[in-house]
């Protein structure tokens, strides 16, 4: 015996005053059939008589042969809804399992309107989508739609919703395909999170670098960082004043004709004997006193240099520090000259003189 509720399956195109209708019914195997329905009143038996005749060439597997493989493979979630009542007339197990209980079983969802299955804000969302399908008459793509199940577990899905128009250009079917993309979304979220962290760290590093640069610029000592190719990575004002005159003559790469370096005995220091060159060979140089002749000016500096090593343990940068000791050296020389003058005077005095050191 077949029980059939005619009212929900009557399409809008049917005339309520007519005794002929069309709609969908399901076989015992839950396969949908589109039928023409007619009825008449049997006076002898005092009851309504219904006649169901399947429409010719109306089976979905014949109309949508391109979807049959997807239904069989059951990898992608696929469903077909009737319009405008939005009743599910065909779906694969992958689609039904996507629903919340008890509608995650095929027998509990087939033939039901999506509005019976969903609740809350999703009903409003579906109504909006349906209106958009009617107006645009084009496929709608929903990317990374956030859904929450009855256990408050969040997942993300991509939806492709395609309207199918038939007689009188009326929408008759809606094909829905969805794919869970939670892993992709979470991966992208993690990437974005890491990106924000990196950006924040970069900003903090730039701020610290700016603060460090400000400190270095105002140091009374010259500070310079250079790589093993001679490129100056960082140099403050004092270091430039003492050792660096013009970008065209970078003494780190080749000798600068306008700058000469001498030891404290007055002998010129060869380019390869500079503290920086020694540091690149792994030596740490401390308090190496030298004289610099820079564009007609003379400075005495206390020079220190230390190597900075790369991951393989090879020196790839040098940190150099310069302290201007010109005033100290000149004062010492002046004292020394005064002592020598005093000694000369003493040597030429005939009377005895005793000097006591306080």
């Amino acid at each position: 015996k077949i029980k059939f509720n005619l009212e929900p399956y009557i399409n809008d195109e049917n005339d309520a005053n007519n005794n002929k209708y069309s709609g969908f019914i399901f076989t015992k195997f839950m396969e949908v059939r589109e039928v023409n329905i007619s009825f008449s009143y049997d006076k002898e038996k005092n009851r309504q008589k219904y006649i169901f005749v399947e429409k010719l060439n109306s089976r979905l597997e014949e109309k949508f042969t391109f979807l049959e493989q997807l239904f069989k493979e059951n990898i992608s979630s696929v469903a077909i809804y009737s319009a405008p009542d939005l009743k599910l007339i065909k779906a694969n197990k992958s689609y039904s399992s996507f629903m919340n209980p008890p509608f995650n079983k095929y027998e509990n969802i087939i033939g039901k309107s999506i509005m019976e299955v969903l609740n809350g804000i999703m009903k409003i969302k579906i109504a909006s989508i349906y209106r958009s399908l009617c107006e645009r008459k084009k496929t709608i793509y929903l990317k990374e739609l956030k859904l929450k199940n009855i256990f408050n577990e969040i997942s993300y899905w991509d939806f492709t919703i395609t309207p199918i128009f038939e007689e009188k250009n009326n929408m008759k079917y809606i094909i829905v395909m969805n794919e869970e993309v939670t892993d992709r979304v979470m991966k992208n979220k993690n990437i974005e999170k890491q990106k924000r962290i990196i950006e924040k760290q970069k900003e903090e590093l730039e701020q610290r670098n700016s603060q460090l640069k400000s400190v270095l610029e105002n140091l009374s000592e010259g500070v310079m960082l250079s790589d093993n190719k001679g490129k100056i990575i960082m140099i403050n004002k004092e270091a430039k004043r003492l050792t660096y005159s013009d970008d065209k003559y970078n003494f780190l790469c080749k000798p600068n004709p306008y700058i000469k370096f001498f030891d404290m005995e007055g002998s010129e220091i060869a380019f390869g004997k500079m503290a920086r060159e020694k540091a690149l060979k792994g030596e740490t140089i401390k308090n190496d006193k030298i004289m610099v002749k820079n564009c007609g000016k003379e400075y005495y500096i206390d020079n220190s240099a230390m190597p900075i090593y790369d991951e393989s343990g090879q020196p790839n940068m040098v940190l150099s520090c310069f302290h201007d000791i010109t005033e100290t050296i000149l004062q010492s020389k002046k004292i020394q000259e005064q002592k020598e003058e005093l000694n000369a005077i003493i040597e030429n005095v005939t009377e005895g003189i005793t000097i006591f050191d306080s």
Side-chain angles (χ1 to χ4, degrees), residues 271-293:
F271 181 74
K273 299 293 184 179
M274 296 294 296
R276 177 187 172 277
E277 300 302 317
K278 293 179 180 179
L280 278 176
K281 297 176 182 178
E283 294 185 47
T284 297
I285 312 300
K286 292 183 179 181
N287 307 119
D288 183 25
K289 294 178 176 58
I290 61 175
M291 184 184 74
V292 181
K293 290 185 178 181

Short mmCIF file of all heavy atoms in Angstrom, two decimals, residues 271-293:
data_model
loop_
_atom_site.label_atom_id
_atom_site.label_comp_id
_atom_site.label_asym_id
_atom_site.label_seq_id
_atom_site.Cartn_x
_atom_site.Cartn_y
_atom_site.Cartn_z
N PHE A 271 97.90 47.51 4.19
CA PHE A 271 96.46 47.26 4.15
C PHE A 271 96.10 45.91 4.79
O PHE A 271 95.14 45.81 5.55
CB PHE A 271 95.98 47.31 2.69
CG PHE A 271 94.50 47.09 2.54
CD1 PHE A 271 93.59 48.08 2.90
CD2 PHE A 271 94.02 45.89 2.03
CE1 PHE A 271 92.23 47.88 2.76
CE2 PHE A 271 92.65 45.69 1.89
CZ PHE A 271 91.76 46.69 2.25
N GLY A 272 96.85 44.88 4.50
CA GLY A 272 96.55 43.55 5.03
C GLY A 272 96.85 43.38 6.51
O GLY A 272 96.49 42.36 7.10
N LYS A 273 97.50 44.37 7.12
CA LYS A 273 97.85 44.30 8.54
C LYS A 273 96.87 45.08 9.43
O LYS A 273 97.06 45.15 10.64
CB LYS A 273 99.26 44.87 8.76
CG LYS A 273 100.37 44.13 8.01
CD LYS A 273 100.55 42.73 8.56
CE LYS A 273 101.72 42.02 7.88
NZ LYS A 273 101.93 40.65 8.42
N MET A 274 95.83 45.62 8.82
CA MET A 274 94.84 46.36 9.58
C MET A 274 94.10 45.42 10.54
O MET A 274 93.99 44.21 10.29
CB MET A 274 93.85 47.05 8.64
CG MET A 274 94.47 48.11 7.74
SD MET A 274 95.09 49.52 8.68
CE MET A 274 93.55 50.15 9.35
N ALA A 275 93.58 45.99 11.62
CA ALA A 275 92.90 45.19 12.64
C ALA A 275 91.72 44.42 12.05
O ALA A 275 91.49 43.25 12.39
CB ALA A 275 92.42 46.09 13.77
N ARG A 276 91.01 45.06 11.13
CA ARG A 276 89.84 44.38 10.54
C ARG A 276 90.27 43.15 9.75
O ARG A 276 89.61 42.09 9.81
CB ARG A 276 89.09 45.34 9.62
CG ARG A 276 87.91 44.69 8.92
CD ARG A 276 87.28 45.59 7.88
NE ARG A 276 86.29 44.85 7.13
CZ ARG A 276 86.55 44.07 6.09
NH1 ARG A 276 87.80 43.94 5.69
NH2 ARG A 276 85.59 43.43 5.46
N GLU A 277 91.35 43.27 8.98
CA GLU A 277 91.83 42.14 8.19
C GLU A 277 92.27 40.99 9.09
O GLU A 277 92.05 39.82 8.78
CB GLU A 277 92.98 42.59 7.29
CG GLU A 277 92.61 43.69 6.30
CD GLU A 277 91.47 43.27 5.39
OE1 GLU A 277 91.49 42.11 4.91
OE2 GLU A 277 90.56 44.09 5.17
N LYS A 278 92.87 41.33 10.23
CA LYS A 278 93.26 40.28 11.19
C LYS A 278 92.05 39.60 11.80
O LYS A 278 92.03 38.38 12.00
CB LYS A 278 94.13 40.90 12.29
CG LYS A 278 95.49 41.40 11.82
CD LYS A 278 96.26 42.00 12.98
CE LYS A 278 97.63 42.52 12.52
NZ LYS A 278 98.37 43.13 13.65
N ALA A 279 91.02 40.41 12.08
CA ALA A 279 89.80 39.86 12.67
C ALA A 279 89.11 38.88 11.72
O ALA A 279 88.54 37.87 12.14
CB ALA A 279 88.84 40.98 13.06
N LEU A 280 89.19 39.15 10.41
CA LEU A 280 88.61 38.25 9.42
C LEU A 280 89.33 36.90 9.38
O LEU A 280 88.81 35.93 8.83
CB LEU A 280 88.62 38.88 8.04
CG LEU A 280 87.48 39.87 7.74
CD1 LEU A 280 87.66 40.50 6.37
CD2 LEU A 280 86.12 39.18 7.83
N LYS A 281 90.53 36.86 9.96
CA LYS A 281 91.28 35.60 10.05
C LYS A 281 91.05 34.92 11.40
O LYS A 281 91.70 33.92 11.71
CB LYS A 281 92.77 35.86 9.84
CG LYS A 281 93.08 36.41 8.44
CD LYS A 281 94.55 36.76 8.30
CE LYS A 281 94.84 37.35 6.92
NZ LYS A 281 96.26 37.75 6.78
N GLY A 282 90.15 35.51 12.21
CA GLY A 282 89.81 34.88 13.48
C GLY A 282 90.45 35.51 14.69
O GLY A 282 90.19 35.08 15.82
N GLU A 283 91.28 36.53 14.51
CA GLU A 283 91.93 37.19 15.65
C GLU A 283 91.00 38.23 16.27
O GLU A 283 90.18 38.84 15.59
CB GLU A 283 93.21 37.90 15.20
CG GLU A 283 94.31 36.97 14.71
CD GLU A 283 95.58 37.75 14.40
OE1 GLU A 283 95.99 38.58 15.24
OE2 GLU A 283 96.15 37.53 13.31
N THR A 284 91.13 38.40 17.57
CA THR A 284 90.44 39.49 18.26
C THR A 284 91.48 40.53 18.65
O THR A 284 92.44 40.23 19.37
CB THR A 284 89.71 38.97 19.53
OG1 THR A 284 88.70 38.03 19.12
CG2 THR A 284 89.04 40.12 20.27
N ILE A 285 91.32 41.73 18.16
CA ILE A 285 92.29 42.80 18.37
C ILE A 285 91.73 43.77 19.42
O ILE A 285 90.59 44.24 19.28
CB ILE A 285 92.58 43.57 17.07
CG1 ILE A 285 92.87 42.59 15.92
CG2 ILE A 285 93.71 44.56 17.27
CD1 ILE A 285 94.06 41.70 16.16
N LYS A 286 92.54 44.07 20.43
CA LYS A 286 92.10 44.99 21.48
C LYS A 286 93.10 46.13 21.66
O LYS A 286 94.30 45.89 21.70
CB LYS A 286 91.94 44.24 22.82
CG LYS A 286 90.79 43.24 22.83
CD LYS A 286 90.65 42.60 24.20
CE LYS A 286 89.48 41.62 24.24
NZ LYS A 286 89.34 41.00 25.60
N ASN A 287 92.57 47.33 21.74
CA ASN A 287 93.36 48.52 22.07
C ASN A 287 94.61 48.68 21.22
O ASN A 287 95.71 48.91 21.72
CB ASN A 287 93.73 48.49 23.56
CG ASN A 287 92.52 48.29 24.44
OD1 ASN A 287 92.45 47.30 25.17
ND2 ASN A 287 91.58 49.22 24.40
N ASP A 288 94.44 48.51 19.93
CA ASP A 288 95.54 48.70 18.99
C ASP A 288 95.62 50.20 18.66
O ASP A 288 94.76 50.73 17.96
CB ASP A 288 95.30 47.87 17.74
CG ASP A 288 96.45 47.96 16.75
OD1 ASP A 288 97.58 48.24 17.19
OD2 ASP A 288 96.20 47.77 15.54
N LYS A 289 96.64 50.86 19.18
CA LYS A 289 96.77 52.32 19.00
C LYS A 289 97.45 52.61 17.68
O LYS A 289 98.54 52.11 17.40
CB LYS A 289 97.54 52.92 20.17
CG LYS A 289 96.81 52.82 21.49
CD LYS A 289 97.63 53.40 22.62
CE LYS A 289 96.86 53.38 23.92
NZ LYS A 289 96.42 52.03 24.33
N ILE A 290 96.80 53.46 16.87
CA ILE A 290 97.35 53.82 15.57
C ILE A 290 97.08 55.31 15.32
O ILE A 290 96.27 55.94 16.01
CB ILE A 290 96.72 53.00 14.42
CG1 ILE A 290 95.19 53.24 14.35
CG2 ILE A 290 97.01 51.52 14.57
CD1 ILE A 290 94.53 52.56 13.17
N MET A 291 97.80 55.84 14.31
CA MET A 291 97.58 57.22 13.90
C MET A 291 96.93 57.21 12.52
O MET A 291 97.31 56.42 11.65
CB MET A 291 98.88 58.01 13.84
CG MET A 291 98.67 59.49 13.51
SD MET A 291 100.20 60.43 13.34
CE MET A 291 100.79 59.83 11.76
N VAL A 292 95.95 58.08 12.33
CA VAL A 292 95.23 58.17 11.06
C VAL A 292 95.46 59.55 10.47
O VAL A 292 95.26 60.57 11.14
CB VAL A 292 93.71 57.93 11.26
CG1 VAL A 292 92.98 57.99 9.92
CG2 VAL A 292 93.46 56.60 11.95
N LYS A 293 95.90 59.58 9.22
CA LYS A 293 95.97 60.83 8.48
C LYS A 293 94.83 60.83 7.48
O LYS A 293 94.82 60.07 6.51
CB LYS A 293 97.32 60.95 7.76
CG LYS A 293 98.49 61.17 8.71
CD LYS A 293 99.78 61.41 7.95
CE LYS A 293 100.94 61.67 8.92
NZ LYS A 293 102.22 61.93 8.19
#
